[in-house]
Structure formats: structure tokens, C-alpha cells
Amino acid sequence: MSSLKLLFAALVASLVFASAARADDDLLERVKERGTLRVCTINYTPWNILNPVDNSWTGLNVDIVAEITKGLEVKVEWVDSAWSTIIQNLKSDKCDLGAAALWTSTGRASNVSFTRPIGGDGSTLFVPEDSAIASYEEIDKAGNIITVLSGSADEKLAKEKFKNAEVKSLVTDQVAAHILEVASGRANAAFGGFAGNAQFISNNPNIKVKPLPDLLVNFVPFAYAVPAKEYFFRDFVNIVISNLESTGKLDEIKNRWIKKD
């Protein structure tokens, strides 16, 4: 092949590569052109709270997303998701941002790109209010049922941790469904994030279930997720979060929604 042909082939290859690179990192511009930011979210107090009457959302993440859309000068479109579907929704272009209490697990990080952390939590057991259970060994026995939400980071951890009890994964978008299974007597314990589930129980005193904070394990940061290779958009979101943090407004938002004992 002549040097001229080689040069031409190299030029074509570089143009194809550049075009592909732009296609992988153009989400910020597409959001602006569309005029809406599609946000996948999951009902989990106090981060994202769904009003069943009018399907409106409030919560900590809702307030932060409002700051992001203000910076973009676009409207928000909420996309209801579940722990088992939110990553796939991002991968299949059903939403531009995953704004939920998403643990930054390595499994998720191999499929999406995470922003800087906005908070964090650990997991623990939730047992009947009159239960004397005080350790993992006491609950991890044959015949016991421990509920967990399917697709959550807690599900993988529970299956690793409990070798004798039955770990029952619930495929549902109902908030705190695993906790409600314990309250109804259909499970001996639930395993899940401490802060949000504890606040849900506090907000609903008729639910006779208690958390075991002394058994808290696996504290992991929460962050927002964006589709893989959308670094420009991710950096924009990071700047918004960083500015909220430096001005103290992020703490104001957290204090508005997270109860202090």
C-alpha cells in the first residue's frame, strides 16, 4: 500500500474514532437540547419520597436534583425505578441520571459512572419490636427467614453473610417491603440500609419493628450514577455537588430531611 493510501486510511480511522468519542460523551448537550433531565429514582425515605396521591417526588435527592436542573436550565422528568432496574435503565437510555441512595459497589461501577459521594449508609438487621435477637449468629439459623430487596446491594451482602437462614429476595417497588414482611410476621428479620429504613419506621410507629444499630456493617458511600463514558455530564454534576458542599447548602438540604436523634 502506498504512503498516500496509508495516510488516507489513518485519517479515516481518526475521524471515525473522534466521532465515536463524541457520541459517547455528548449527554450534557443532549439534555440541554431536549430541555429535560430524565432522572431515575427509587422510593426510599428520606432520599426520595413518592406521594402516592399525585405521584410527585420530594426528598433529599429531589432538592439536589433541583439545583442540577437549575444549572442546566432544564426541567426534570422523574422515571420510577427499582433497585433491580435502575442500572439497566441508565444503560438502555431510559434516564440520564440515577439519583437515589445508590451504594457505589464495584458491580455497579463496572456498568455506570459514579459522581462524587453525596452521603452514605451501612446495613443492619431489622427485627420485631419485642425480639431479643442481638447478634447475626442468633438469626442465622435454619428455619429463619431474612427478607431483602431484590437488586439492592444489601441482597448480595445478605447472601454472603447468612449461610443457614433463608434469604428471601423481594421483587417489588413497594417502599420498605422487606420491613413490612417482618411486621406482618412473615419473616423473622429484614436486612437493609440503616438510616432510611430506621426513619421509615420512626415515621410509621404502627410498624412494630426495630433496627439493630449496634450490628451496622459495610458502610458505603452513596453517589449519583450516569451512563458509562459520559464524563462531561458527570463532571457537571460533580461541580454542582461540590459548590453545594462548599457553600454549606448541601448540609442544609441534608438537615432538612435527615432526622437527628
Side-chain angles (χ1 to χ4, degrees):
M1 183 180 293
S2 68
S3 58
L4 183 59
K5 288 182 177 180
L6 285 172
L7 179 61
F8 179 75
L11 178 60
V12 170
S14 66
L15 288 173
V16 170
F17 177 80
S19 176
R22 284 196 298 274
D24 282 338
D25 202 11
D26 65 351
L27 180 57
L28 184 62
E29 288 305 314
R30 286 191 282 120
V31 168
K32 289 180 178 180
E33 291 173 2
R34 190 193 310 132
T36 57
L37 176 67
R38 302 169 304 167
V39 182
C40 276
T41 191
I42 301 168
N43 198 4
Y44 182 61
T45 303
W47 298 85
N48 306 77
I49 306 166
L50 178 64
N51 184 331
V53 176
D54 60 5
N55 286 322
S56 63
W57 288 92
T58 57
L60 197 159
N61 283 326
V62 177
D63 289 354
I64 296 175
V65 168
E67 298 293 329
I68 296 171
T69 55
K70 183 167 65 175
L72 288 168
E73 298 182 340
V74 300
K75 296 180 180 179
V76 62
E77 176 188 334
W78 296 104
V79 181
D80 295 1
S81 298
W83 300 116
S84 57
T85 62
I86 189 168
I87 300 301
Q88 186 57 40
N89 285 349
L90 282 161
K91 292 178 66 177
S92 60
D93 195 34
K94 291 183 179 178
C95 51
D96 310 306
L97 180 71
L102 277 175
W103 277 355
T104 52
S105 69
T106 54
R108 287 171 175 163
S110 66
N111 288 282
V112 296
S113 181
F114 280 112
T115 67
R116 62 184 294 162
I118 56 168
D121 198 7
S123 300
T124 192
L125 281 174
F126 295 80
V127 298
E129 200 170 59
D130 58 357
S131 174
I133 293 291
S135 70
Y136 286 108
E137 290 73 22
E138 291 176 80
I139 197 67
D140 189 20
K141 295 180 179 178
N144 284 341
I145 297 175
I146 302 170
T147 48
V148 67
L149 296 180
S150 178
S152 66
D154 300 306
E155 181 183 30
K156 182 176 183 294
L157 185 59
K159 289 181 177 180
E160 292 173 351
K161 192 168 190 63
F162 302 110
K163 301 300 184 184
N164 301 304
E166 176 189 352
V167 176
K168 184 178 180 181
S169 299
L170 305 178
V171 180
T172 177
D173 58 0
Q174 183 180 15
V175 61
H178 55 327
I179 304 294
L180 297 177
E181 288 291 292
V182 178
S184 67
R186 291 190 291 268
N188 303 94
F191 186 73
F194 168 67
N197 288 310
Q199 187 156 322
F200 174 81
I201 292 169
S202 176
N203 293 343
N204 298 273
N206 58 309
I207 298 175
K208 305 303 180 183
V209 176
K210 65 181 180 182
L212 300 180
D214 291 342
L215 300 184
L216 192 71
V217 295
N218 199 47
F219 187 92
V220 178
F222 292 152
Y224 293 161
V226 304
K229 301 181 182 179
E230 294 294 348
Y231 310 117
F232 193 29
F233 177 61
R234 181 197 62 190
D235 289 349
F236 179 90
V237 176
N238 277 335
I239 288 297
V240 175
I241 295 171
S242 178
N243 289 344
L244 290 174
E245 191 172 41
S246 63
T247 61
K249 193 165 184 178
L250 185 59
D251 283 338
E252 289 178 15
I253 293 173
K254 289 181 178 179
N255 292 335
R256 191 182 306 151
W257 292 102
I258 298 176
K259 290 184 177 179
K260 303 294 184 182
D261 295 328

